[in-house]
Amino acid sequence: MASLNVGNLGEYLREQRRNAQLSLRQLADAAGVSNPYLSQIERGLRKPSAEVLQQVAKALRISAETLYVRAGILDAERDRDEVETRAVILADPTLNERQKQVLLQIYESFRKENGLGTGEGAGPARDGDGAADQGTGGGSSSTAGGGDAAGSDTDAGRRRTAG
């Protein structure tokens, strides 16, 4: 697994905060974290969770995936297109959260079907609305791991009219 590169992350966060013309306190307030904790992250003394990184990214109006790569949570060389695609889906203001999660599930199922599945992709499907768990008898596609079930749901209107 990738180790966390918190020094590089801290320098990057400080640079982004300064570019946004925010004080440490302003960013901490906007991200919902304490001022000392954010200071420790910037100095490379703490390694933040993915949730904290997401809050900071939202406050800075930058991609959370960019911070995940800087922190070593996502591998920069591994599937840059996948990271960018996920970021675009998550940033789309015309979609609600459930729609974004369903799109990400479908996207991941297609990637797995094509042999490009990721270790990080299972995370967004955790709200349990069942989209990825139904319709497992889809017939034509049966890749290992069951990740293609969300793709089967997209065919729900077309599948099995005879049975």
Side-chain angles (χ1 to χ4, degrees):
M1 290 198 177
S3 63
L4 294 180
N5 188 357
V6 291
N8 186 26
L9 171 66
E11 293 168 18
Y12 180 75
L13 279 177
R14 181 177 291 126
E15 179 183 321
Q16 294 302 309
R17 177 177 59 78
R18 288 178 176 162
N19 287 343
Q21 298 180 340
L22 292 172
S23 70
L24 192 65
R25 180 163 298 175
Q26 288 171 321
L27 179 56
D29 288 344
V33 297
S34 74
N35 190 29
Y37 181 62
L38 185 58
S39 175
Q40 290 173 345
I41 293 170
E42 281 193 0
R43 290 182 285 141
L45 302 175
R46 291 281 188 149
K47 51 185 185 182
S49 67
E51 291 81 15
V52 169
L53 288 175
Q54 186 173 18
Q55 291 170 270
V56 171
K58 187 174 183 180
L60 287 170
R61 296 188 175 136
I62 61 174
S63 163
E65 282 77 7
T66 302
L67 294 184
Y68 296 160
V69 169
R70 292 278 179 168
I73 295 171
L74 285 179
D75 184 358
E77 300 305 316
R78 187 210 62 166
D79 298 353
R80 186 172 299 273
D81 290 340
E82 184 255 346
V83 171
E84 291 172 358
T85 301
R86 291 175 54 82
V88 168
I89 291 170
L90 291 170
D92 189 330
T94 64
L95 301 175
N96 65 38
E97 285 305 310
R98 184 181 174 283
Q99 291 168 331
K100 291 176 185 179
Q101 296 307 319
V102 169
L103 267 176
L104 290 172
Q105 289 171 353
I106 293 168
Y107 177 66
E108 285 301 322
S109 74
F110 287 149
R111 288 181 53 80
K112 287 178 184 174
E113 186 174 308
N114 293 333
L116 299 170
T118 65
E120 302 288 329
R126 67 176 182 228
D127 65 341
D129 58 26
D133 296 322
Q134 300 173 2
T136 55
S140 64
S141 60
S142 59
T143 40
D148 59 336
S152 298
D153 284 348
T154 61
D155 296 343
R158 295 183 281 159
R159 74 174 178 206
R160 297 197 195 134
T161 55

